[in-house]
Amino acid sequence: MGKAAAVVWDQSFLGYDLGGDHPLNPVRLDLTIRLATALGVLDGVGLIAPEAATDADIERVHTASYLTAVREAPSSAWDVGHGLGTSDNPVFDRMHEASALIVGGSLEAARRIATGESDRAVSIAGGLHHAMRDHAAGFCVYNDCAVAISWLLDNGFDRIAYVDVDVHHGDGVQNAFYDDPRVMTISVHQNPMTLWPGTGWPAELGGKGAEGTAVNLPLPPGTRDGNWLRAFHAVVPGLLGAFRPQVLVTQCGVDSHQEDPLADLALSVDGHRAIYRALRDLAETYAGGKWLALGGGGYELLRVVPRSWTHLLATVLDRDLDPNVPLPASWVSHASRLAPGWSLPSSMTDGADPGFTPWDGDADTPVDAAVRNTRRAVFPLHGLDPDDRRD
Ligand SMILES: [Zn+2]
């Protein structure tokens, strides 16, 4: 890697706080930055503070009436609609400002790549992939991923690949670009029959004129590292090779972990580390090295998110951590003060082996059936042979 990667971070991101015992607790971001700092991952890295996105930029993917509702909700005496004020998306103080700041962080990361200042940029506060054009959904108020992609389309890029590894379908981003052949969205997620939002089937392929630029790979509940990676490698590299993106945007949700309380895949922190290394390789191989990495879901706040996203930051910065590196005592004591009695890990590994056997088209396991369904739906639209393991 040539130019230094850009890391967007500021404590002000912690203002996106849905309150009470909502699962999306911003402590997960704070604990990640503390862990990455304690391990030296951020040594010498100038953290870039975000500025709030303008209305004009947010309105790239949202309606003006939705922005008005978000602004007015905290002081409104009545229900403002637009998915706000539900248990998933409760209204909170300064909701518009906090949400616009997250969009601004992802935009700043995109800007660093577009100007050529950096080939890679990361904002772990971003990745709010469920927000829809005129309503909040799935803990997400504004869709920073979609705003950043839309901005890139107006600033020198006309082939953008978005890869979403969150356990949930990246429905908001898929919807935003469903009819746009310039953006390929690829989502790898838990089977929608078994998990909200219930979309993300292989037959969702993109609208007229954009067939094949929405890609969905739903995996059975219980899928572990090896099978997840086997499926990913059987689908994603071939499509990126055919699409030839100029930049890779990734949503790096970590709610696919075995211990995540909201979903049922069974990945490990070691699997997450392997995914980030694979995404980096794909950016280098197929996207000219340009990689915009965003956060996403992840609700095991102490044991999983800080370690997995510290691996993400390290991977973006080419400072890959040995999985066996112990957690610094200062971080462990801070985390245990937050959650007395909670069992904390002692190192950056779950002790799992994320090795995998490449897909060969022959086996007939549930994961291989999922791979076959997705390949058969989308590969022919790109001139690829779904049954040829070399494609
Ligand atoms: Zn999620």
Side-chain angles (χ1 to χ4, degrees):
M1 183 180 78
K3 290 161 275 191
V7 179
V8 180
W9 172 257
D10 188 75
Q11 293 286 321
S12 54
F13 278 141
L14 304 176
Y16 191 87
D17 186 347
L18 298 155
D21 54 5
H22 192 287
L24 192 84
N25 188 316
V27 74
R28 67 202 191 115
L29 301 177
D30 184 52
L31 285 172
T32 299
I33 296 298
R34 285 175 185 270
L35 180 56
T37 302
L39 284 168
V41 168
L42 299 175
D43 283 359
V45 175
L47 301 178
I48 300 161
E51 285 180 24
T54 62
D55 286 10
D57 274 329
I58 300 170
E59 287 172 14
R60 290 172 170 279
V61 304
H62 294 290
T63 61
S65 62
Y66 176 46
L67 267 67
T68 300
V70 173
R71 268 206 176 84
E72 292 180 350
S75 57
S76 174
W78 55 82
D79 182 357
V80 296
H82 297 274
L84 300 166
T86 61
S87 59
D88 271 6
N89 314 300
V91 173
F92 59 98
D93 198 33
R94 295 181 61 76
M95 181 165 57
H96 169 80
E97 289 77 5
S99 307
L101 197 65
I102 289 180
V103 177
S106 302
L107 269 176
E108 181 58 29
R111 200 172 284 124
R112 297 276 166 156
I113 292 173
T115 59
E117 286 168 87
S118 300
D119 283 330
R120 301 180 193 158
V122 56
S123 180
I124 60 169
L128 302 180
H129 60 164
H130 295 305
M132 294 293 178
R133 185 161 182 77
D134 71 342
H135 64 273
F139 318 160
C140 304
V141 177
Y142 295 143
N143 197 317
D144 61 287
C145 325
V147 171
I149 291 169
S150 167
W151 185 89
L152 286 168
L153 288 172
D154 284 342
N155 286 275
F157 295 85
D158 52 25
R159 283 192 318 280
I160 300 175
Y162 169 81
V163 175
D164 185 319
V165 301
D166 192 281
V167 77
H168 301 95
H169 178 222
D171 55 351
V173 184
Q174 175 177 295
N175 280 10
F177 303 104
Y178 203 65
D179 298 318
D180 192 335
R182 299 173 298 171
V183 181
M184 173 180 277
T185 61
I186 304 177
S187 181
V188 185
H189 45 262
Q190 183 178 326
N191 189 299
M193 191 79 86
T194 63
L195 189 66
W196 188 92
T199 53
W201 300 99
E204 297 164 31
L205 288 164
K208 198 165 170 50
E211 295 90 347
T213 60
V215 179
N216 288 288
L217 177 56
L219 299 175
T223 298
R224 307 178 75 85
D225 296 329
N227 271 336
W228 194 102
L229 288 159
R230 173 183 172 95
F232 176 89
H233 284 282
V235 169
V236 180
L239 290 171
L240 295 183
F243 186 66
R244 296 178 299 112
Q246 299 152 319
V247 56
L248 179 66
V249 180
T250 65
Q251 198 271 19
C252 300
V254 291
D255 39 10
S256 56
H257 193 276
Q258 180 165 26
E259 295 180 32
D260 194 274
L262 298 193
D264 310 296
L265 293 191
L267 273 61
S268 69
V269 164
D270 306 278
H272 289 157
R273 179 176 178 275
I275 290 169
Y276 306 142
R277 291 158 65 95
L279 293 172
R280 179 177 63 190
D281 284 348
L282 292 174
E284 292 296 328
T285 305
Y286 298 112
K290 298 197 185 308
W291 180 21
L292 169 54
L294 303 170
Y299 307 99
E300 211 317 325
L301 308 172
L302 285 95
R303 292 175 49 80
V304 174
V305 181
R307 290 189 297 156
S308 287
W309 282 352
T310 291
H311 279 308
L312 173 63
L313 291 166
T315 305
V316 170
L317 290 160
D318 280 339
R319 294 176 175 182
D320 303 33
L321 290 167
D322 183 330
N324 291 307
V325 69
L327 299 187
S330 59
W331 186 88
V332 172
S333 71
H334 176 80
S336 41
R337 277 196 304 275
L338 294 178
W342 199 256
S343 164
L344 290 170
S346 58
S347 74
M348 289 294 288
T349 180
D350 283 339
D353 173 7
F356 69 97
T357 315
W359 180 80
D360 60 12
D362 293 334
D364 203 21
T365 65
V367 164
D368 282 7
V371 166
R372 187 181 313 114
N373 289 341
T374 295
R375 286 176 58 110
R376 286 188 177 165
V378 72
F379 270 36
L381 296 165
H382 296 278
L384 301 171
D385 181 349
D387 299 316
D388 186 337
R389 73 190 68 174
R390 293 166 301 179
D391 276 4

